[in-house]
């Protein structure tokens, strides 16, 4: 972090974060660079960050890898968080488990076990912050899904939108298609 104070403002010259290295080569985890400012004006919090992601490893797990690049802008004005920008998947691998947990059929009745009563979880308190986010997601040319008989590449473009109090579920719209894939079931490639 390279930043300086100027009056009631924090000027962020550069915030540099490195993704987890994969051991392939130095900086193989990609980077997130941000610059901007934050502070108080007329008793209100204000902030703006311009963010650049360069081949950032956003997820590195045995069953899920995701590397993304793109430009984003995040703002905070009073009690509203704004996010705008676009991301592209540089590389992605999703492994679906081949085995699912066994379960009893709907016609099986177990005696002597009390039935679970459905409970309604308490609603979380309303957030004092709201969000207004619009992010374009390009699935790129190298996003693969494998498992449960499926082996395919996913392609398309999606739009992520969120509006309202923090915690409100976002909406994801767009086109998702498979390209060059296969599905193996019933001893056949379908």
């Amino acid at each position: 972090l390279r930043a300086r104070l100027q009056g009631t403002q924090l000027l962020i010259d550069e915030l540099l974060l490195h993704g987890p290295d994969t051991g392939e080569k130095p900086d193989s985890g990609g980077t997130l660079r941000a610059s901007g400012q934050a502070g108080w004006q007329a008793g209100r919090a204000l902030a703006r960050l311009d963010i650049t992601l360069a081949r950032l490893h956003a997820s590195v797990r045995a069953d899920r890898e995701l590397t993304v690049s793109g430009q984003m802008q995040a703002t905070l004005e009073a009690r509203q968080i704004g996010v705008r920008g676009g991301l592209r998947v540089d590389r992605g691998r999703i492994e679906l488990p081949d085995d699912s947990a066994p379960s009893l059929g709907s016609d099986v009745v177990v005696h002597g076990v009390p039935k679970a009563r459905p409970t309604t979880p308490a609603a979380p308190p309303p957030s004092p912050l709201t969000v207004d986010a619009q992010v374009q997601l390009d699935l790129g040319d190298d996003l693969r899904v494998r498992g449960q008989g499926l082996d395919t590449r996913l392609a398309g473009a999606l739009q992520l939108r969120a509006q309202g109090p923090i915690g409100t579920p976002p909406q994801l719209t767009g086109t998702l298609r498979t390209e060059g894939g296969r599905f193996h079931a019933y001893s056949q490639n379908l």
Side-chain angles (χ1 to χ4, degrees), residues 79 81 124-131 164-167:
R79 294 177 182 250
I81 298 171
S127 172
L129 296 175
T130 60
V131 67
I166 287 187

Side-chain angles (χ1 to χ4, degrees), residues 12 16 18 23-24 37 50 52 58 67-68 77 95 102 115 120-121 133-135 139 153 171 179 187:
I12 301 168
L16 176 61
H18 295 273
E24 298 169 9
Q37 61 188 30
D50 295 310
T52 300
T67 303
V68 295
E77 188 170 337
E95 296 287 334
K115 290 185 180 180
T120 305
Q134 293 184 21
V135 179
L139 298 182
R153 186 171 76 78
Q171 294 179 338
E179 292 189 354
S187 301

Side-chain angles (χ1 to χ4, degrees), residues 3 5 35 38 48 61 88 96 98 101 109 111 129 158 171 178 180:
L5 289 172
S35 63
R48 189 196 86 249
R61 293 179 23 165
R88 177 180 169 84
L96 303 173
D98 284 326
V109 176
H111 294 281
L129 296 175
L158 303 170
Q171 294 179 338
T178 65

Side-chain angles (χ1 to χ4, degrees), residues 156-179:
L158 303 170
Q159 296 80 38
L160 177 89
R161 289 192 176 92
Q163 270 191 316
I166 287 187
T168 302
Q171 294 179 338
L172 190 62
T173 59
T175 303
L176 180 66
R177 63 186 181 278
T178 65
E179 292 189 354

Side-chain angles (χ1 to χ4, degrees), residues 58-123:
S59 178
V60 181
R61 293 179 23 165
D63 63 340
R64 186 178 20 210
E65 294 179 30
L66 188 63
T67 303
V68 295
S69 296
Q71 301 283 326
M72 304 286 292
Q73 185 178 66
T75 59
L76 171 65
E77 188 170 337
R79 294 177 182 250
Q80 178 159 340
I81 298 171
V83 179
R84 298 283 185 274
L87 296 174
R88 177 180 169 84
V89 174
D90 297 310
R91 183 176 191 272
R93 298 291 179 266
I94 300 169
E95 296 287 334
L96 303 173
D98 284 326
D99 298 321
S100 60
S103 62
L104 298 174
S106 61
D107 60 339
V108 175
V109 176
V110 178
H111 294 281
V113 176
K115 290 185 180 180
R117 293 184 181 166
T119 60
T120 305

